[in-house]
Amino acid sequence: MSSLKQLKENFVSDLTGGSIEEIYLVTSVALTSYLAYKFIKDSIIQLPLVYDYVINVLTILTAITIYSNNPTFLHYSIFLPSLLVYLLNHYTTENKQRHHHRQSNKTNDTLLTRKQFLTAYRSHMLIITNLAILAVDFKIFPRRFAKVETWGTSMMDLGVGSFVYSMGLVNSRQLIKAHSQYKFSWKAYLKIIKQSTTKAFPLLVLGFARFVSVKQLEYQEHVTEYGIHWNFFITLGLLPVLLGVLDPFLTILPRVVVAFIFIALNELLLKRTNVLQVILSGENRMNNFITMNKEGIYSFLGYFTIFIFGQSFGSFVLTEYPTRNNLISISKTKAFRKNSNLITVTTTQGLIIATVFYQALFTIVNNSNYFTSISRRLANASYVLWVVSYNATFLLGYNLIDRLLPVQTKVASNLLEGVNNNGLLAFLLGNLLTGLINMLINTLEVSNTVAFLILIGYSAAWISIVVILNHKHIYIKL
């Protein structure tokens, strides 16, 4: 008779995923929720936190569980009532809201400002990720949304890539701030490597702690995901280390160019060497440390590429006004209309171009016999382009919503601000609570109703912590 540990491992193994179209439809509930929140916020300036939770968290939880088979109905159920509230308020009160809108559109000469659509994008991505890492252990969460074994697409496969992409996007803020004319010196280079390693240390410690705790507590693990010793925290921790090592190249070459070089290298390794056979073989697992962790080691190349792509978007997404050639490179020089060109863009223009380009490129690559099929396990070219094209599209969606309903207050949502400002802490809390819940109950025998209530309590717990910390202006950077 199989042990509970083995049963739980079997529950998340050998899965084949679902369709990309369904993933878009389900996860875009987050976009509809943000639009609904903006509609209601336009009418009720002081929106209670419980309503904030219902609109920005409970709707997403519902989309990936009880309404996973009927997301279209959920979209309408969220959108129509909020639109009705907005229209009733808009046509039965004075035009004070529209006055606020006009006031908020004045010119801002600050290069880097807080943008609400970025807060919403990143927070919703973290919320979906945290909900999924626990929900996947319950039967209420469809198996097609859980990580696939090797080939295919699923919502959770997209989630880990999007997490890394958003980290790269946020990280580019520091790049823009520190941008200057590049002059190489060994002293400065070694200092950058030291700083990068120091920055990586907390996450690497968390990765090691997770490895030890999983082994000591006999917690279920999916070996073909990252390997025996490797885990996602180690991948996250090593990203700044490699960034430091490659700093001279990343400074001289535009990051988008470096990212495409890595995509080509990734696919060449899979197509022209025996790397693919080594990774997929089940017979060499215990040969040495590399084969024990072959998935984590190899997929790191793809995740690093996604991170670099995320950074490449920062030059036009994070900035308040267009800078010279910002579609492909970082610059602090303000671009005036008379000097504009095709690669000097506003945020919306850049996102439209990026969405069309990456969606077209992904479609070509995904349907080509010259590239390997989508695989999160390998983090190959088609997977990387899927993640980038998806995030470009959703960033555009959030941006257009903000343009449709411009900013009225500095903080759109206390909940979204809290999650965004302590993003990595929120992710860590989600992982810790997921482990605790799995050790306390048998998730495989829980009814759908109880599972849903547990997920509500779980999400309310870690969200309450980050919201309280944010209220007290405490920001824990890992």
Side-chain angles (χ1 to χ4, degrees):
M1 185 176 180
S2 300
S3 65
L4 179 59
K5 177 176 181 289
Q6 186 62 51
L7 289 172
K8 286 189 173 184
E9 288 175 357
N10 292 342
F11 191 57
V12 294
S13 299
D14 301 319
L15 303 177
T16 56
S19 71
I20 292 175
E21 293 76 17
E22 184 187 30
I23 294 167
Y24 266 85
L25 185 60
V26 171
T27 56
S28 62
V29 166
L31 276 172
T32 303
S33 297
Y34 183 55
L35 178 59
Y37 185 86
K38 298 276 280 189
F39 277 148
I40 296 172
K41 185 77 171 176
D42 189 88
S43 309
I44 309 170
I45 301 299
Q46 295 298 325
L47 197 63
L49 188 60
V50 65
Y51 288 99
D52 205 337
Y53 174 84
V54 169
I55 298 171
N56 285 306
V57 182
L58 195 58
T59 52
I60 295 172
L61 174 59
T62 304
I64 65 175
T65 53
I66 57 180
Y67 271 95
S68 58
N69 292 323
N70 195 6
T72 302
F73 178 79
L74 185 59
H75 278 281
Y76 285 123
S77 300
I78 297 168
F79 173 73
L80 293 177
S82 61
L83 177 62
L84 180 61
V85 170
Y86 175 77
L87 292 175
L88 287 173
N89 177 73
H90 192 72
Y91 289 107
T92 57
T93 60
E94 295 180 0
N95 293 333
K96 57 184 180 180
Q97 282 86 8
R98 278 172 281 180
H99 174 71
H100 282 299
H101 290 179
R102 289 194 297 270
Q103 290 294 103
S104 65
N105 289 330
K106 62 184 179 181
T107 302
N108 191 335
D109 287 329
T110 304
L111 179 59
L112 293 169
T113 58
R114 300 276 293 187
K115 295 187 176 183
Q116 288 188 12
F117 85 89
L118 286 174
T119 296
Y121 153 78
R122 186 164 183 259
S123 298
H124 278 156
M125 183 275 302
L126 284 162
I127 289 167
I128 295 174
T129 300
N130 266 14
L131 289 174
I133 60 176
L134 176 59
V136 70
D137 296 319
F138 294 98
K139 293 180 178 178
I140 194 174
F141 188 80
R143 294 300 88 193
R144 65 185 183 278
F145 291 171
K147 291 177 182 176
V148 302
E149 190 66 25
T150 301
W151 309 108
T153 57
S154 76
M155 190 177 70
M156 289 192 73
D157 288 324
L158 183 63
V160 288
S162 297
F163 190 97
V164 172
Y165 173 92
S166 71
M167 281 185 65
L169 180 63
V170 172
N171 179 267
S172 63
R173 181 177 292 271
Q174 298 304 318
L175 293 177
I176 296 169
K177 284 182 179 180
H179 180 70
S180 61
Q181 288 297 111
Y182 182 69
K183 292 181 180 179
F184 179 80
S185 73
W186 281 106
K187 184 178 179 181
Y189 179 54
L190 293 174
K191 183 180 178 182
I192 289 171
I193 292 178
K194 181 182 177 181
Q195 290 174 340
S196 301
T197 305
T198 303
K199 187 177 180 180
F201 187 72
L203 283 169
L204 293 175
V205 169
L206 287 173
F208 180 73
R210 176 178 170 80
F211 162 70
V212 172
S213 60
V214 165
K215 299 301 180 185
Q216 291 293 323
L217 299 171
E218 293 192 352
Y219 190 76
Q220 69 265 21
E221 53 184 328
H222 193 187
V223 173
T224 58
E225 191 174 344
Y226 295 104
I228 293 175
H229 309 97
W230 204 281
N231 55 61
F232 191 51
F233 284 107
I234 294 175
T235 293
L236 296 180
L238 289 177
L239 288 173
V241 177
L242 187 55
L243 274 176
V245 172
L246 296 179
D247 183 73
F249 301 100
L250 293 169
T251 307
I252 295 169
L253 293 172
R255 273 167 164 73
V256 67
V257 173
V258 176
F260 275 110
I261 290 172
F262 279 123
I263 274 189
L265 174 63
N266 194 334
E267 205 62 25
L268 282 172
L269 286 172
L270 293 174
K271 284 286 191 177
R272 301 294 177 87
T273 71
N274 68 339
V275 166
L276 182 60
Q277 290 74 24
V278 171
I279 294 173
L280 299 186
S281 173
E283 299 175 357
N284 59 7
R285 175 68 66 185
M286 304 306 294
N287 286 1
N288 52 58
F289 179 81
I290 292 176
T291 56
M292 286 180 185
N293 301 284
K294 53 190 178 180
E295 292 88 355
I297 292 170
Y298 187 79
S299 65
F300 179 74
L301 173 61
Y303 285 121
F304 183 75
T305 308
I306 292 170
F307 188 88
I308 297 298
F309 269 121
Q311 286 187 322
S312 74
F313 274 64
S315 58
F316 61 88
V317 171
L318 300 185
T319 51
E320 186 64 28
Y321 53 80
T323 57
R324 189 176 298 167
N325 302 332
N326 61 340
L327 187 62
I328 63 169
S329 62
I330 294 172
S331 172
K332 287 185 177 179
T333 305
K334 188 172 184 178
F336 296 96
R337 187 169 295 180
K338 63 180 181 180
N339 297 324
S340 63
N341 54 53
L342 292 176
I343 55 175
T344 298
V345 295
T346 64
T347 296
T348 305
Q349 288 170 344
L351 286 173
I352 291 172
I353 293 169
T355 297
V356 172
F357 174 75
Y358 285 108
Q359 286 288 358
L361 185 60
F362 166 65
T363 301
I364 293 169
V365 169
N366 193 40
N367 290 286
S368 171
N369 293 326
Y370 296 103
F371 294 85
T372 50
S373 299
I374 299 175
S375 173
R376 184 264 322 148
R377 182 177 176 183
L378 301 170
N380 57 350
S382 51
Y383 173 75
V384 170
L385 290 172
W386 178 39
V387 171
V388 176
S389 61
Y390 171 91
N391 282 276
T393 304
F394 271 61
L395 276 168
L396 176 61
Y398 282 104
N399 176 253
L400 292 177
I401 289 171
D402 263 14
R403 288 179 64 86
L404 174 68
L405 294 171
V407 176
Q408 294 183 40
T409 58
K410 288 184 179 180
V411 177
S413 160
N414 289 320
L415 187 151
L416 296 180
E417 284 285 335
V419 174
N420 180 60
N421 289 338
N422 275 302
L424 274 176
L425 175 65
F427 183 61
L428 176 60
L429 288 171
N431 275 271
L432 291 173
L433 288 172
T434 295
L436 178 63
I437 291 168
N438 267 277
M439 287 187 289
L440 292 176
I441 64 172
N442 180 357
T443 56
L444 299 182
E445 294 183 354
V446 171
S447 68
N448 286 351
T449 301
V450 173
F452 192 73
L453 292 174
I454 290 172
L455 287 164
I456 290 175
Y458 154 80
S459 58
W462 62 263
I463 283 173
S464 296
I465 293 172
V466 295
V467 168
I468 291 170
L469 289 175
N470 187 63
H471 182 69
K472 295 180 179 294
H473 304 289
I474 298 172
Y475 311 114
I476 300 173
K477 304 298 182 183
L478 299 174

